[in-house]
PDB file of all heavy atoms in Angstrom:
ATOM      1  N   ASN A 301       0.825  -1.224  -0.031  1.00 95.00           N
ATOM      2  CA  ASN A 301      -0.004   0.025   0.021  1.00 95.00           C
ATOM      3  C   ASN A 301       0.869   1.219   0.009  1.00 95.00           C
ATOM      4  O   ASN A 301       0.632   2.190  -0.767  1.00 95.00           O
ATOM      5  CB  ASN A 301      -0.858   0.061   1.235  1.00 95.00           C
ATOM      6  CG  ASN A 301      -2.008  -0.959   1.267  1.00 95.00           C
ATOM      7  OD1 ASN A 301      -2.232  -1.567   2.284  1.00 95.00           O
ATOM      8  ND2 ASN A 301      -2.653  -1.221   0.158  1.00 95.00           N
ATOM      9  N   GLU A 302       1.877   1.222   0.851  1.00 95.00           N
ATOM     10  CA  GLU A 302       2.768   2.397   0.966  1.00 95.00           C
ATOM     11  C   GLU A 302       3.511   2.633  -0.331  1.00 95.00           C
ATOM     12  O   GLU A 302       3.890   3.778  -0.627  1.00 95.00           O
ATOM     13  CB  GLU A 302       3.764   2.192   2.171  1.00 95.00           C
ATOM     14  CG  GLU A 302       3.000   2.166   3.507  1.00 95.00           C
ATOM     15  CD  GLU A 302       3.743   1.472   4.623  1.00 95.00           C
ATOM     16  OE1 GLU A 302       4.887   1.106   4.410  1.00 95.00           O
ATOM     17  OE2 GLU A 302       3.152   1.267   5.665  1.00 95.00           O
ATOM     18  N   ASP A 303       3.757   1.558  -1.060  1.00 96.00           N
ATOM     19  CA  ASP A 303       4.521   1.711  -2.335  1.00 96.00           C
ATOM     20  C   ASP A 303       3.522   1.767  -3.522  1.00 96.00           C
ATOM     21  O   ASP A 303       3.943   1.737  -4.701  1.00 96.00           O
ATOM     22  CB  ASP A 303       5.406   0.479  -2.525  1.00 96.00           C
ATOM     23  CG  ASP A 303       6.559   0.676  -3.496  1.00 96.00           C
ATOM     24  OD1 ASP A 303       6.997   1.866  -3.631  1.00 96.00           O
ATOM     25  OD2 ASP A 303       7.066  -0.274  -4.093  1.00 96.00           O
ATOM     26  N   ARG A 304       2.197   1.907  -3.216  1.00 95.00           N
ATOM     27  CA  ARG A 304       1.148   2.072  -4.190  1.00 95.00           C
ATOM     28  C   ARG A 304       1.115   0.927  -5.269  1.00 95.00           C
ATOM     29  O   ARG A 304       0.852   1.093  -6.429  1.00 95.00           O
ATOM     30  CB  ARG A 304       1.288   3.415  -4.904  1.00 95.00           C
ATOM     31  CG  ARG A 304       1.230   4.585  -3.928  1.00 95.00           C
ATOM     32  CD  ARG A 304       1.283   5.914  -4.604  1.00 95.00           C
ATOM     33  NE  ARG A 304       0.098   6.216  -5.395  1.00 95.00           N
ATOM     34  CZ  ARG A 304      -1.090   6.616  -4.939  1.00 95.00           C
ATOM     35  NH1 ARG A 304      -1.285   6.776  -3.664  1.00 95.00           N
ATOM     36  NH2 ARG A 304      -2.041   6.900  -5.779  1.00 95.00           N
ATOM     37  N   ARG A 305       1.362  -0.317  -4.724  1.00 97.00           N
ATOM     38  CA  ARG A 305       1.289  -1.503  -5.605  1.00 97.00           C
ATOM     39  C   ARG A 305      -0.108  -2.139  -5.423  1.00 97.00           C
ATOM     40  O   ARG A 305      -0.702  -2.167  -4.373  1.00 97.00           O
ATOM     41  CB  ARG A 305       2.379  -2.479  -5.207  1.00 97.00           C
ATOM     42  CG  ARG A 305       3.741  -1.966  -5.548  1.00 97.00           C
ATOM     43  CD  ARG A 305       4.809  -2.967  -5.278  1.00 97.00           C
ATOM     44  NE  ARG A 305       6.152  -2.429  -5.528  1.00 97.00           N
ATOM     45  CZ  ARG A 305       6.683  -2.276  -6.684  1.00 97.00           C
ATOM     46  NH1 ARG A 305       6.089  -2.741  -7.858  1.00 97.00           N
ATOM     47  NH2 ARG A 305       7.887  -1.749  -6.856  1.00 97.00           N
ATOM     48  N   LEU A 306      -0.611  -2.738  -6.544  1.00 97.00           N
ATOM     49  CA  LEU A 306      -1.881  -3.519  -6.472  1.00 97.00           C
ATOM     50  C   LEU A 306      -1.555  -4.822  -5.769  1.00 97.00           C
ATOM     51  O   LEU A 306      -0.686  -5.590  -6.063  1.00 97.00           O
ATOM     52  CB  LEU A 306      -2.338  -3.851  -7.896  1.00 97.00           C
ATOM     53  CG  LEU A 306      -2.667  -2.561  -8.742  1.00 97.00           C
ATOM     54  CD1 LEU A 306      -2.893  -3.007 -10.187  1.00 97.00           C
ATOM     55  CD2 LEU A 306      -3.881  -1.858  -8.201  1.00 97.00           C
ATOM     56  N   GLN A 307      -2.358  -5.083  -4.706  1.00 96.00           N
ATOM     57  CA  GLN A 307      -2.162  -6.270  -3.918  1.00 96.00           C
ATOM     58  C   GLN A 307      -3.029  -7.464  -4.302  1.00 96.00           C
ATOM     59  O   GLN A 307      -2.579  -8.606  -4.397  1.00 96.00           O
ATOM     60  CB  GLN A 307      -2.374  -6.010  -2.415  1.00 96.00           C
ATOM     61  CG  GLN A 307      -1.255  -5.244  -1.799  1.00 96.00           C
ATOM     62  CD  GLN A 307      -1.535  -4.927  -0.352  1.00 96.00           C
ATOM     63  OE1 GLN A 307      -0.689  -5.426   0.436  1.00 96.00           O
ATOM     64  NE2 GLN A 307      -2.468  -4.133  -0.034  1.00 96.00           N
ATOM     65  N   GLY A 308      -4.296  -7.171  -4.409  1.00 96.00           N
ATOM     66  CA  GLY A 308      -5.245  -8.290  -4.819  1.00 96.00           C
ATOM     67  C   GLY A 308      -5.078  -9.393  -3.841  1.00 96.00           C
ATOM     68  O   GLY A 308      -5.163  -9.249  -2.579  1.00 96.00           O
ATOM     69  N   ARG A 309      -4.831 -10.619  -4.276  1.00 96.00           N
ATOM     70  CA  ARG A 309      -4.804 -11.859  -3.455  1.00 96.00           C
ATOM     71  C   ARG A 309      -3.383 -12.073  -2.812  1.00 96.00           C
ATOM     72  O   ARG A 309      -3.281 -12.988  -2.071  1.00 96.00           O
ATOM     73  CB  ARG A 309      -5.185 -13.070  -4.269  1.00 96.00           C
ATOM     74  CG  ARG A 309      -6.602 -12.971  -4.953  1.00 96.00           C
ATOM     75  CD  ARG A 309      -7.677 -13.134  -3.934  1.00 96.00           C
ATOM     76  NE  ARG A 309      -9.010 -12.947  -4.520  1.00 96.00           N
ATOM     77  CZ  ARG A 309      -9.678 -13.818  -5.125  1.00 96.00           C
ATOM     78  NH1 ARG A 309      -9.180 -15.053  -5.349  1.00 96.00           N
ATOM     79  NH2 ARG A 309     -10.878 -13.524  -5.634  1.00 96.00           N
ATOM     80  N   ALA A 310      -2.419 -11.202  -3.173  1.00 96.00           N
ATOM     81  CA  ALA A 310      -1.108 -11.374  -2.571  1.00 96.00           C
ATOM     82  C   ALA A 310      -1.296 -11.203  -1.036  1.00 96.00           C
ATOM     83  O   ALA A 310      -1.898 -10.212  -0.655  1.00 96.00           O
ATOM     84  CB  ALA A 310      -0.132 -10.360  -3.114  1.00 96.00           C
ATOM     85  N   ASP A 311      -0.833 -12.146  -0.273  1.00 97.00           N
ATOM     86  CA  ASP A 311      -1.092 -12.136   1.162  1.00 97.00           C
ATOM     87  C   ASP A 311      -0.030 -11.411   1.923  1.00 97.00           C
ATOM     88  O   ASP A 311       0.804 -11.995   2.633  1.00 97.00           O
ATOM     89  CB  ASP A 311      -1.228 -13.602   1.660  1.00 97.00           C
ATOM     90  CG  ASP A 311      -1.986 -13.726   2.946  1.00 97.00           C
ATOM     91  OD1 ASP A 311      -2.516 -12.673   3.374  1.00 97.00           O
ATOM     92  OD2 ASP A 311      -2.128 -14.799   3.481  1.00 97.00           O
ATOM     93  N   ARG A 312      -0.041 -10.104   1.820  1.00 96.00           N
ATOM     94  CA  ARG A 312       0.924  -9.234   2.444  1.00 96.00           C
ATOM     95  C   ARG A 312       0.477  -8.892   3.867  1.00 96.00           C
ATOM     96  O   ARG A 312      -0.697  -8.550   4.081  1.00 96.00           O
ATOM     97  CB  ARG A 312       1.139  -7.889   1.711  1.00 96.00           C
ATOM     98  CG  ARG A 312       1.377  -8.070   0.214  1.00 96.00           C
ATOM     99  CD  ARG A 312       2.704  -8.575  -0.089  1.00 96.00           C
ATOM    100  NE  ARG A 312       3.803  -7.853   0.474  1.00 96.00           N
ATOM    101  CZ  ARG A 312       5.033  -8.178   0.402  1.00 96.00           C
ATOM    102  NH1 ARG A 312       5.378  -9.314  -0.224  1.00 96.00           N
ATOM    103  NH2 ARG A 312       6.009  -7.491   0.876  1.00 96.00           N
ATOM    104  N   PRO A 313       1.335  -8.968   4.878  1.00 97.00           N
ATOM    105  CA  PRO A 313       0.980  -8.595   6.250  1.00 97.00           C
ATOM    106  C   PRO A 313       0.961  -7.050   6.344  1.00 97.00           C
ATOM    107  O   PRO A 313       1.455  -6.349   5.502  1.00 97.00           O
ATOM    108  CB  PRO A 313       2.079  -9.187   7.119  1.00 97.00           C
ATOM    109  CG  PRO A 313       3.290  -9.196   6.176  1.00 97.00           C
ATOM    110  CD  PRO A 313       2.709  -9.450   4.803  1.00 97.00           C
ATOM    111  N   LEU A 314       0.475  -6.558   7.453  1.00 98.00           N
ATOM    112  CA  LEU A 314       0.523  -5.147   7.749  1.00 98.00           C
ATOM    113  C   LEU A 314       2.034  -4.764   7.855  1.00 98.00           C
ATOM    114  O   LEU A 314       2.860  -5.559   8.366  1.00 98.00           O
ATOM    115  CB  LEU A 314      -0.141  -4.819   9.062  1.00 98.00           C
ATOM    116  CG  LEU A 314      -1.646  -5.029   9.074  1.00 98.00           C
ATOM    117  CD1 LEU A 314      -2.169  -4.594  10.518  1.00 98.00           C
ATOM    118  CD2 LEU A 314      -2.350  -4.224   7.981  1.00 98.00           C
ATOM    119  N   SER A 315       2.399  -3.583   7.415  1.00 98.00           N
ATOM    120  CA  SER A 315       3.731  -3.108   7.694  1.00 98.00           C
ATOM    121  C   SER A 315       3.849  -2.591   9.123  1.00 98.00           C
ATOM    122  O   SER A 315       2.822  -2.467   9.829  1.00 98.00           O
ATOM    123  CB  SER A 315       4.036  -1.945   6.761  1.00 98.00           C
ATOM    124  OG  SER A 315       3.130  -0.847   7.022  1.00 98.00           O
ATOM    125  N   ALA A 316       5.038  -2.290   9.521  1.00 98.00           N
ATOM    126  CA  ALA A 316       5.264  -1.736  10.894  1.00 98.00           C
ATOM    127  C   ALA A 316       4.477  -0.487  11.049  1.00 98.00           C
ATOM    128  O   ALA A 316       3.812  -0.183  12.067  1.00 98.00           O
ATOM    129  CB  ALA A 316       6.730  -1.543  11.157  1.00 98.00           C
ATOM    130  N   ALA A 317       4.483   0.388  10.041  1.00 97.00           N
ATOM    131  CA  ALA A 317       3.742   1.601  10.051  1.00 97.00           C
ATOM    132  C   ALA A 317       2.263   1.339  10.015  1.00 97.00           C
ATOM    133  O   ALA A 317       1.444   2.010  10.773  1.00 97.00           O
ATOM    134  CB  ALA A 317       4.068   2.540   8.857  1.00 97.00           C
ATOM    135  N   GLY A 318       1.804   0.319   9.369  1.00 97.00           N
ATOM    136  CA  GLY A 318       0.464  -0.107   9.406  1.00 97.00           C
ATOM    137  C   GLY A 318      -0.025  -0.558  10.750  1.00 97.00           C
ATOM    138  O   GLY A 318      -1.111  -0.247  11.169  1.00 97.00           O
ATOM    139  N   ARG A 319       0.813  -1.318  11.390  1.00 98.00           N
ATOM    140  CA  ARG A 319       0.464  -1.762  12.795  1.00 98.00           C
ATOM    141  C   ARG A 319       0.313  -0.589  13.729  1.00 98.00           C
ATOM    142  O   ARG A 319      -0.650  -0.506  14.562  1.00 98.00           O
ATOM    143  CB  ARG A 319       1.519  -2.752  13.292  1.00 98.00           C
ATOM    144  CG  ARG A 319       1.351  -4.127  12.716  1.00 98.00           C
ATOM    145  CD  ARG A 319       2.372  -5.087  13.362  1.00 98.00           C
ATOM    146  NE  ARG A 319       2.531  -6.172  12.350  1.00 98.00           N
ATOM    147  CZ  ARG A 319       3.556  -6.243  11.424  1.00 98.00           C
ATOM    148  NH1 ARG A 319       4.481  -5.333  11.379  1.00 98.00           N
ATOM    149  NH2 ARG A 319       3.621  -7.274  10.566  1.00 98.00           N
ATOM    150  N   ARG A 320       1.233   0.379  13.663  1.00 97.00           N
ATOM    151  CA  ARG A 320       1.143   1.579  14.457  1.00 97.00           C
ATOM    152  C   ARG A 320      -0.171   2.365  14.160  1.00 97.00           C
ATOM    153  O   ARG A 320      -0.843   2.875  15.034  1.00 97.00           O
ATOM    154  CB  ARG A 320       2.371   2.503  14.249  1.00 97.00           C
ATOM    155  CG  ARG A 320       3.643   1.871  14.903  1.00 97.00           C
ATOM    156  CD  ARG A 320       4.760   2.901  14.905  1.00 97.00           C
ATOM    157  NE  ARG A 320       5.150   3.361  13.558  1.00 97.00           N
ATOM    158  CZ  ARG A 320       6.087   2.753  12.775  1.00 97.00           C
ATOM    159  NH1 ARG A 320       6.668   1.657  13.164  1.00 97.00           N
ATOM    160  NH2 ARG A 320       6.356   3.264  11.549  1.00 97.00           N
ATOM    161  N   ALA A 321      -0.530   2.446  12.880  1.00 96.00           N
ATOM    162  CA  ALA A 321      -1.714   3.198  12.449  1.00 96.00           C
ATOM    163  C   ALA A 321      -2.922   2.495  13.037  1.00 96.00           C
ATOM    164  O   ALA A 321      -3.783   3.172  13.684  1.00 96.00           O
ATOM    165  CB  ALA A 321      -1.793   3.234  10.944  1.00 96.00           C
ATOM    166  N   VAL A 322      -3.055   1.248  12.907  1.00 97.00           N
ATOM    167  CA  VAL A 322      -4.239   0.461  13.379  1.00 97.00           C
ATOM    168  C   VAL A 322      -4.283   0.559  14.921  1.00 97.00           C
ATOM    169  O   VAL A 322      -5.375   0.667  15.537  1.00 97.00           O
ATOM    170  CB  VAL A 322      -4.209  -0.970  12.931  1.00 97.00           C
ATOM    171  CG1 VAL A 322      -5.339  -1.791  13.564  1.00 97.00           C
ATOM    172  CG2 VAL A 322      -4.363  -1.060  11.417  1.00 97.00           C
ATOM    173  N   ALA A 323      -3.131   0.639  15.627  1.00 96.00           N
ATOM    174  CA  ALA A 323      -3.098   0.768  17.083  1.00 96.00           C
ATOM    175  C   ALA A 323      -3.722   2.067  17.514  1.00 96.00           C
ATOM    176  O   ALA A 323      -4.253   2.131  18.629  1.00 96.00           O
ATOM    177  CB  ALA A 323      -1.691   0.668  17.554  1.00 96.00           C
ATOM    178  N   ARG A 324      -3.833   3.052  16.626  1.00 97.00           N
ATOM    179  CA  ARG A 324      -4.500   4.318  17.031  1.00 97.00           C
ATOM    180  C   ARG A 324      -6.016   4.304  16.628  1.00 97.00           C
ATOM    181  O   ARG A 324      -6.675   5.240  17.068  1.00 97.00           O
ATOM    182  CB  ARG A 324      -3.827   5.510  16.233  1.00 97.00           C
ATOM    183  CG  ARG A 324      -2.392   5.791  16.655  1.00 97.00           C
ATOM    184  CD  ARG A 324      -1.874   7.077  16.025  1.00 97.00           C
ATOM    185  NE  ARG A 324      -1.938   7.092  14.569  1.00 97.00           N
ATOM    186  CZ  ARG A 324      -0.909   6.636  13.758  1.00 97.00           C
ATOM    187  NH1 ARG A 324       0.196   6.218  14.314  1.00 97.00           N
ATOM    188  NH2 ARG A 324      -1.085   6.667  12.440  1.00 97.00           N
ATOM    189  N   TRP A 325      -6.411   3.300  15.911  1.00 97.00           N
ATOM    190  CA  TRP A 325      -7.828   3.274  15.528  1.00 97.00           C
ATOM    191  C   TRP A 325      -8.726   2.824  16.678  1.00 97.00           C
ATOM    192  O   TRP A 325      -8.303   2.113  17.528  1.00 97.00           O
ATOM    193  CB  TRP A 325      -8.020   2.285  14.355  1.00 97.00           C
ATOM    194  CG  TRP A 325      -7.405   2.683  13.108  1.00 97.00           C
ATOM    195  CD1 TRP A 325      -6.650   3.819  12.776  1.00 97.00           C
ATOM    196  CD2 TRP A 325      -7.405   1.901  11.849  1.00 97.00           C
ATOM    197  NE1 TRP A 325      -6.284   3.766  11.519  1.00 97.00           N
ATOM    198  CE2 TRP A 325      -6.676   2.658  10.904  1.00 97.00           C
ATOM    199  CE3 TRP A 325      -7.959   0.647  11.537  1.00 97.00           C
ATOM    200  CZ2 TRP A 325      -6.531   2.136   9.581  1.00 97.00           C
ATOM    201  CZ3 TRP A 325      -7.807   0.214  10.207  1.00 97.00           C
ATOM    202  CH2 TRP A 325      -7.090   0.950   9.282  1.00 97.00           C
ATOM    203  N   SER A 326      -9.968   3.306  16.646  1.00 95.00           N
ATOM    204  CA  SER A 326     -10.911   2.912  17.644  1.00 95.00           C
ATOM    205  C   SER A 326     -12.272   2.821  17.054  1.00 95.00           C
ATOM    206  O   SER A 326     -12.723   3.732  16.344  1.00 95.00           O
ATOM    207  CB  SER A 326     -10.817   3.990  18.805  1.00 95.00           C
ATOM    208  OG  SER A 326     -11.872   3.748  19.738  1.00 95.00           O
ATOM    209  N   LEU A 327     -12.985   1.768  17.349  1.00 95.00           N
ATOM    210  CA  LEU A 327     -14.436   1.607  16.978  1.00 95.00           C
ATOM    211  C   LEU A 327     -15.272   1.997  18.220  1.00 95.00           C
ATOM    212  O   LEU A 327     -14.902   1.630  19.314  1.00 95.00           O
ATOM    213  CB  LEU A 327     -14.749   0.220  16.531  1.00 95.00           C
ATOM    214  CG  LEU A 327     -14.174  -0.171  15.176  1.00 95.00           C
ATOM    215  CD1 LEU A 327     -14.237  -1.688  15.033  1.00 95.00           C
ATOM    216  CD2 LEU A 327     -15.017   0.509  14.085  1.00 95.00           C
ATOM    217  N   PRO A 328     -16.479   2.532  18.003  1.00 92.00           N
ATOM    218  CA  PRO A 328     -17.395   2.726  19.135  1.00 92.00           C
ATOM    219  C   PRO A 328     -17.617   1.444  19.886  1.00 92.00           C
ATOM    220  O   PRO A 328     -17.729   0.359  19.250  1.00 92.00           O
ATOM    221  CB  PRO A 328     -18.695   3.232  18.525  1.00 92.00           C
ATOM    222  CG  PRO A 328     -18.215   3.869  17.219  1.00 92.00           C
ATOM    223  CD  PRO A 328     -17.038   3.005  16.775  1.00 92.00           C
ATOM    224  N   GLY A 329     -17.602   1.420  21.237  1.00 88.00           N
ATOM    225  CA  GLY A 329     -17.636   0.261  22.055  1.00 88.00           C
ATOM    226  C   GLY A 329     -18.701  -0.741  21.774  1.00 88.00           C
ATOM    227  O   GLY A 329     -18.485  -1.957  21.781  1.00 88.00           O
ATOM    228  N   ALA A 330     -19.915  -0.291  21.442  1.00 92.00           N
ATOM    229  CA  ALA A 330     -21.058  -1.196  21.202  1.00 92.00           C
ATOM    230  C   ALA A 330     -20.799  -2.048  19.981  1.00 92.00           C
ATOM    231  O   ALA A 330     -21.281  -3.167  19.920  1.00 92.00           O
ATOM    232  CB  ALA A 330     -22.291  -0.378  20.969  1.00 92.00           C
ATOM    233  N   LEU A 331     -19.992  -1.594  19.005  1.00 95.00           N
ATOM    234  CA  LEU A 331     -19.720  -2.385  17.827  1.00 95.00           C
ATOM    235  C   LEU A 331     -18.893  -3.672  18.070  1.00 95.00           C
ATOM    236  O   LEU A 331     -18.974  -4.609  17.359  1.00 95.00           O
ATOM    237  CB  LEU A 331     -18.987  -1.544  16.795  1.00 95.00           C
ATOM    238  CG  LEU A 331     -19.761  -0.311  16.237  1.00 95.00           C
ATOM    239  CD1 LEU A 331     -18.882   0.386  15.206  1.00 95.00           C
ATOM    240  CD2 LEU A 331     -21.091  -0.657  15.703  1.00 95.00           C
ATOM    241  N   HIS A 332     -18.181  -3.654  19.188  1.00 94.00           N
ATOM    242  CA  HIS A 332     -17.336  -4.805  19.563  1.00 94.00           C
ATOM    243  C   HIS A 332     -18.287  -6.026  19.897  1.00 94.00           C
ATOM    244  O   HIS A 332     -17.766  -7.162  19.845  1.00 94.00           O
ATOM    245  CB  HIS A 332     -16.414  -4.488  20.726  1.00 94.00           C
ATOM    246  CG  HIS A 332     -15.266  -3.644  20.283  1.00 94.00           C
ATOM    247  ND1 HIS A 332     -14.047  -4.178  19.897  1.00 94.00           N
ATOM    248  CD2 HIS A 332     -15.188  -2.293  20.168  1.00 94.00           C
ATOM    249  CE1 HIS A 332     -13.249  -3.183  19.570  1.00 94.00           C
ATOM    250  NE2 HIS A 332     -13.895  -2.018  19.705  1.00 94.00           N
ATOM    251  N   THR A 333     -19.507  -5.812  20.251  1.00 95.00           N
ATOM    252  CA  THR A 333     -20.387  -6.903  20.602  1.00 95.00           C
ATOM    253  C   THR A 333     -21.095  -7.476  19.318  1.00 95.00           C
ATOM    254  O   THR A 333     -21.772  -8.507  19.501  1.00 95.00           O
ATOM    255  CB  THR A 333     -21.530  -6.435  21.537  1.00 95.00           C
ATOM    256  OG1 THR A 333     -22.333  -5.457  20.928  1.00 95.00           O
ATOM    257  CG2 THR A 333     -20.811  -5.843  22.851  1.00 95.00           C
ATOM    258  N   TRP A 334     -20.905  -6.897  18.181  1.00 97.00           N
ATOM    259  CA  TRP A 334     -21.525  -7.325  16.952  1.00 97.00           C
ATOM    260  C   TRP A 334     -20.780  -8.613  16.481  1.00 97.00           C
ATOM    261  O   TRP A 334     -19.684  -8.922  16.961  1.00 97.00           O
ATOM    262  CB  TRP A 334     -21.437  -6.354  15.886  1.00 97.00           C
ATOM    263  CG  TRP A 334     -22.354  -5.120  16.087  1.00 97.00           C
ATOM    264  CD1 TRP A 334     -22.966  -4.780  17.266  1.00 97.00           C
ATOM    265  CD2 TRP A 334     -22.717  -4.132  15.211  1.00 97.00           C
ATOM    266  NE1 TRP A 334     -23.654  -3.587  17.146  1.00 97.00           N
ATOM    267  CE2 TRP A 334     -23.472  -3.240  15.838  1.00 97.00           C
ATOM    268  CE3 TRP A 334     -22.371  -3.970  13.851  1.00 97.00           C
ATOM    269  CZ2 TRP A 334     -24.067  -2.130  15.158  1.00 97.00           C
ATOM    270  CZ3 TRP A 334     -22.893  -2.856  13.130  1.00 97.00           C
ATOM    271  CH2 TRP A 334     -23.724  -1.982  13.854  1.00 97.00           C
ATOM    272  N   ARG A 335     -21.407  -9.329  15.522  1.00 97.00           N
ATOM    273  CA  ARG A 335     -20.681 -10.476  14.991  1.00 97.00           C
ATOM    274  C   ARG A 335     -19.772  -9.935  13.864  1.00 97.00           C
ATOM    275  O   ARG A 335     -20.223  -9.265  12.887  1.00 97.00           O
ATOM    276  CB  ARG A 335     -21.741 -11.420  14.377  1.00 97.00           C
ATOM    277  CG  ARG A 335     -21.156 -12.674  13.800  1.00 97.00           C
ATOM    278  CD  ARG A 335     -22.103 -13.667  13.472  1.00 97.00           C
ATOM    279  NE  ARG A 335     -21.460 -14.854  12.921  1.00 97.00           N
ATOM    280  CZ  ARG A 335     -22.050 -15.974  12.794  1.00 97.00           C
ATOM    281  NH1 ARG A 335     -23.301 -16.140  13.044  1.00 97.00           N
ATOM    282  NH2 ARG A 335     -21.323 -16.986  12.307  1.00 97.00           N
ATOM    283  N   TRP A 336     -18.504 -10.333  13.907  1.00 98.00           N
ATOM    284  CA  TRP A 336     -17.476  -9.796  13.025  1.00 98.00           C
ATOM    285  C   TRP A 336     -16.939 -10.875  12.139  1.00 98.00           C
ATOM    286  O   TRP A 336     -16.811 -11.993  12.528  1.00 98.00           O
ATOM    287  CB  TRP A 336     -16.270  -9.137  13.807  1.00 98.00           C
ATOM    288  CG  TRP A 336     -16.752  -7.767  14.269  1.00 98.00           C
ATOM    289  CD1 TRP A 336     -17.412  -7.395  15.409  1.00 98.00           C
ATOM    290  CD2 TRP A 336     -16.541  -6.569  13.541  1.00 98.00           C
ATOM    291  NE1 TRP A 336     -17.642  -6.061  15.412  1.00 98.00           N
ATOM    292  CE2 TRP A 336     -17.106  -5.482  14.331  1.00 98.00           C
ATOM    293  CE3 TRP A 336     -15.969  -6.258  12.342  1.00 98.00           C
ATOM    294  CZ2 TRP A 336     -17.104  -4.175  13.920  1.00 98.00           C
ATOM    295  CZ3 TRP A 336     -15.952  -4.942  11.873  1.00 98.00           C
ATOM    296  CH2 TRP A 336     -16.521  -3.893  12.704  1.00 98.00           C
ATOM    297  N   HIS A 337     -16.598 -10.454  10.907  1.00 98.00           N
ATOM    298  CA  HIS A 337     -16.023 -11.292   9.829  1.00 98.00           C
ATOM    299  C   HIS A 337     -14.825 -10.528   9.259  1.00 98.00           C
ATOM    300  O   HIS A 337     -14.697  -9.355   9.349  1.00 98.00           O
ATOM    301  CB  HIS A 337     -17.067 -11.497   8.753  1.00 98.00           C
ATOM    302  CG  HIS A 337     -18.379 -11.978   9.231  1.00 98.00           C
ATOM    303  ND1 HIS A 337     -18.669 -13.320   9.309  1.00 98.00           N
ATOM    304  CD2 HIS A 337     -19.479 -11.322   9.690  1.00 98.00           C
ATOM    305  CE1 HIS A 337     -19.892 -13.476   9.790  1.00 98.00           C
ATOM    306  NE2 HIS A 337     -20.391 -12.290  10.024  1.00 98.00           N
ATOM    307  N   SER A 338     -13.982 -11.295   8.597  1.00 98.00           N
ATOM    308  CA  SER A 338     -12.834 -10.678   7.990  1.00 98.00           C
ATOM    309  C   SER A 338     -12.486 -11.466   6.733  1.00 98.00           C
ATOM    310  O   SER A 338     -12.847 -12.652   6.569  1.00 98.00           O
ATOM    311  CB  SER A 338     -11.590 -10.613   8.873  1.00 98.00           C
ATOM    312  OG  SER A 338     -10.953 -11.863   8.969  1.00 98.00           O
ATOM    313  N   SER A 339     -11.745 -10.803   5.848  1.00 98.00           N
ATOM    314  CA  SER A 339     -11.086 -11.444   4.698  1.00 98.00           C
ATOM    315  C   SER A 339     -10.179 -12.492   5.328  1.00 98.00           C
ATOM    316  O   SER A 339      -9.596 -12.260   6.334  1.00 98.00           O
ATOM    317  CB  SER A 339     -10.385 -10.491   3.948  1.00 98.00           C
ATOM    318  OG  SER A 339      -9.383 -11.115   3.073  1.00 98.00           O
ATOM    319  N   PRO A 340      -9.899 -13.600   4.651  1.00 98.00           N
ATOM    320  CA  PRO A 340      -8.931 -14.542   5.137  1.00 98.00           C
ATOM    321  C   PRO A 340      -7.503 -14.126   5.005  1.00 98.00           C
ATOM    322  O   PRO A 340      -6.533 -14.753   5.504  1.00 98.00           O
ATOM    323  CB  PRO A 340      -9.217 -15.855   4.295  1.00 98.00           C
ATOM    324  CG  PRO A 340      -9.890 -15.392   3.134  1.00 98.00           C
ATOM    325  CD  PRO A 340     -10.623 -14.102   3.497  1.00 98.00           C
TER     326      PRO A 340
END
């Protein structure tokens, strides 16, 4: 993402900067009780 490359199905992990960014993210508390899904 940082290098602006198309990823598609390439199974790239988060970068160190990506992990730091997500660590700053926050969802409203009530959403944590919902049923969650993710891409594999």
